[in-house]
Amino acid sequence: MADFDFSHEAFYDNHTHRLFTDRTFVTAEEFALNYYHGVRDAEDDAGRPCPSAAAFSHMPYQSVVRTLVHAMSRRFGCEESLQGVVAFRNSRTKTPEELRGYTRMLYADQKVCGCTLDCELPMGHRDTMCFPCRVNRLFQYENVFSEQLQTADSYKALLDQVLQSINEAARQGFAGLKGHIGEKFGGMAVRDITAREAEKSFAAAKSGKKEAVDTVYHAMFPHILTICQDLNVPLHLHSGSTGFKNRTAFYQVDPILMAPFLKEKRFFRAKIVFLHQSFPFTRNAAIMACNFPNVYLDLSQTLPWQPLLFARCLEDALSITPHDKIMLGTGQHWYAEMVWIAAFIAKNALARVMRQFAEDGLLSERQAKESARMVLSENALKLYGQRD
């Protein structure tokens, strides 16, 4: 039988946030909360939304947490419990220096070769230097949009400042842009808004009226795609659901809603990465990546939050999306265990899926292994112009 062990292969995390650099002790409750993106159904002593005791009681039983507990106990010999994993972490992270070493250990153990960082900090900020691998940065142009909405005196002035900031970000070395048109600005169905209409809505947008803000944003959006084409940088769009913590307008983030807009030939050269594909939109995003040569698929929600089903999610993606357009990410934030378990899940799921494809005579062993390497790291590296 062919060997489909991908544990020795490199893994590229196509979507991460920052890691802790000084959190030398955490509780089991804090650790589990990192994997919960659901509704905050209670309030803390300061009146801020927080999970209830009932929500906390369910967190250790999420499949991602149970898979992490099992995998880390087998690999590192800690007790097979949430408390055991957290105790292992705390024993290895007693100082900031030890925390950095622990992070390096986890990255090396799963051969994490690089990541795409989504954060608001400027290029070169010390708090972005927390990754023991190559880092490609995403520029959050919507922060500039929100700032200029408060200070600019017209839609044209706002647009000029946003585009200028993107040009400067590319000059500084940012590898792509990050946007939330579906999640924050009215949905993935892009509205055809003229500059004149945007100017008419600008005063209302400045006053904070949501519909007017969306109108101004949708007028700007085609210009974002155009400048991405001109600079040859990909636009990463938050188009799946990462939970109901803040937003529950679920169906407006369906990536297929953008199909009529993307059929305009003026956007055919804009590289778009649909991020965070998750139930129920994984297949819709896959069919978009199949039909639009400039659309790429990122699975950083099914991975690692659906570990028990991830092989099937890969089958959905691989069945229709060109294998050189699928990327894996984590949505990681603060805890490096997240990229460790994501890489573990991905490599095991790919081994299962590719072995079955080969046994069924659908792919050769060579093709199956080639596709696995592309999905694990090569596609992302190629997107950012990095081959090794």
Side-chain angles (χ1 to χ4, degrees):
M1 181 179 294
D3 178 16
F4 284 96
D5 178 10
F6 298 124
S7 61
H8 60 286
E9 296 290 348
F11 177 86
Y12 186 96
D13 182 357
N14 190 55
H15 196 81
T16 185
H17 302 278
R18 284 187 286 146
L19 296 173
F20 282 132
T21 58
D22 57 0
R23 184 69 69 90
T24 57
F25 179 87
V26 299
T27 66
E29 196 172 72
E30 290 169 334
F31 188 87
L33 181 59
N34 188 56
Y35 294 91
Y36 177 72
H37 289 174
V39 172
R40 271 48 181 168
D41 57 339
E43 292 184 349
D44 63 17
D45 293 340
R48 295 169 301 200
C50 70
S52 64
F56 273 111
S57 73
H58 299 308
M59 290 179 196
Y61 301 101
Q62 294 182 105
S63 62
V64 60
V65 175
R66 290 177 74 79
T67 300
L68 174 64
V69 164
H70 173 65
M72 289 195 70
S73 69
R74 288 190 62 186
R75 180 68 181 93
F76 302 115
C78 53
E79 177 186 295
E80 192 184 61
S81 67
L82 175 61
Q83 291 73 19
V85 167
V86 172
F88 171 74
R89 174 193 168 88
N90 288 335
S91 72
R92 301 289 296 269
T93 62
K94 294 180 180 178
T95 67
E97 183 177 340
E98 285 188 355
L99 176 57
R100 288 191 292 271
Y102 176 71
T103 299
R104 286 194 299 270
M105 181 274 291
L106 292 176
Y107 272 66
D109 192 66
Q110 286 295 344
K111 298 177 174 54
V112 181
C113 66
C115 64
T116 303
L117 173 60
D118 177 16
C119 87
E120 74 286 356
L121 297 176
M123 184 67 76
H125 193 285
R126 59 174 296 180
D127 289 348
T128 66
M129 309 296 183
C130 51
F131 300 93
C133 62
R134 76 176 74 197
V135 178
N136 292 303
R137 292 288 308 275
L138 295 181
F139 178 64
Q140 298 180 346
Y141 68 91
E142 289 169 351
N143 291 343
V144 181
F145 170 81
S146 297
E147 293 165 3
Q148 289 299 314
L149 196 57
Q150 301 302 313
T151 59
D153 57 9
S154 67
Y155 163 69
K156 182 180 184 305
L158 176 148
L159 177 62
D160 288 346
Q161 287 298 314
V162 172
L163 297 181
Q164 181 179 323
S165 72
I166 292 171
N167 272 307
E168 176 60 19
R171 188 193 66 78
Q172 293 176 9
F174 281 85
L177 306 184
K178 171 67 182 298
H180 302 78
I181 185 172
E183 189 183 37
K184 296 182 179 180
F185 296 101
M188 298 294 288
V190 183
R191 295 157 53 197
D192 183 14
I193 305 294
T194 66
R196 182 177 180 181
E197 290 171 317
E199 292 289 6
K200 289 177 64 177
S201 297
F202 193 73
K206 283 179 72 72
S207 70
K209 292 185 178 179
K210 180 67 168 61
E211 185 177 348
V213 172
D214 293 347
T215 295
V216 172
Y217 187 96
H218 280 243
M220 176 187 72
F221 191 70
H223 298 278
I224 300 300
L225 291 190
T226 299
I227 197 170
C228 285
Q229 291 183 144
D230 295 342
L231 297 171
N232 192 29
V233 296
L235 173 60
H236 293 231
L237 292 178
H238 191 302
S239 56
S241 172
T242 53
F244 288 174
K245 178 181 177 181
N246 296 315
R247 301 174 184 88
T248 54
F250 193 66
Y251 286 99
Q252 70 181 25
V253 298
D254 184 348
I256 211 163
L257 295 174
M258 195 170 278
F261 175 75
L262 292 182
K263 282 188 70 176
E264 296 187 34
K265 63 181 181 180
R266 57 181 169 144
F267 304 129
F268 283 174
R269 291 186 298 108
K271 297 176 182 176
I272 297 168
V273 180
F274 283 139
L275 288 174
H276 303 318
Q277 294 320 306
S278 57
F279 277 1
F281 305 129
T282 309
R283 291 179 174 180
N284 288 5
I287 201 72
M288 288 287 287
C290 170
N291 282 284
F292 288 91
N294 57 325
V295 169
Y296 295 78
L297 175 64
D298 167 271
L299 295 174
S300 59
Q301 171 60 21
T302 55
L303 184 70
W305 271 266
Q306 293 176 247
L308 306 184
L309 196 66
F310 190 62
R312 194 181 305 174
C313 295
L314 281 171
E315 289 176 351
D316 282 345
L318 290 162
S319 70
I320 189 66
T321 302
H323 295 187
D324 63 344
K325 296 172 70 181
I326 302 170
M327 293 173 287
L328 306 178
T330 63
Q332 174 178 253
H333 39 278
W334 305 124
Y335 294 87
E337 291 87 354
M338 189 171 287
V339 74
W340 185 89
I341 192 58
F344 173 86
I345 293 165
K347 292 175 182 182
N348 279 274
L350 277 166
R352 174 182 171 186
V353 169
M354 294 304 178
R355 183 182 297 111
Q356 192 63 53
F357 287 166
E359 289 179 359
D360 290 347
L362 300 174
L363 296 177
S364 69
E365 179 182 346
R366 180 195 63 79
Q367 288 176 315
K369 291 181 176 180
E370 179 183 54
S371 290
R373 287 192 295 270
M374 287 193 292
V375 171
L376 283 169
S377 66
E378 292 175 1
N379 292 341
L381 291 170
K382 183 179 178 181
L383 181 67
Y384 306 115
Q386 300 158 349
R387 299 287 180 169
D388 59 331

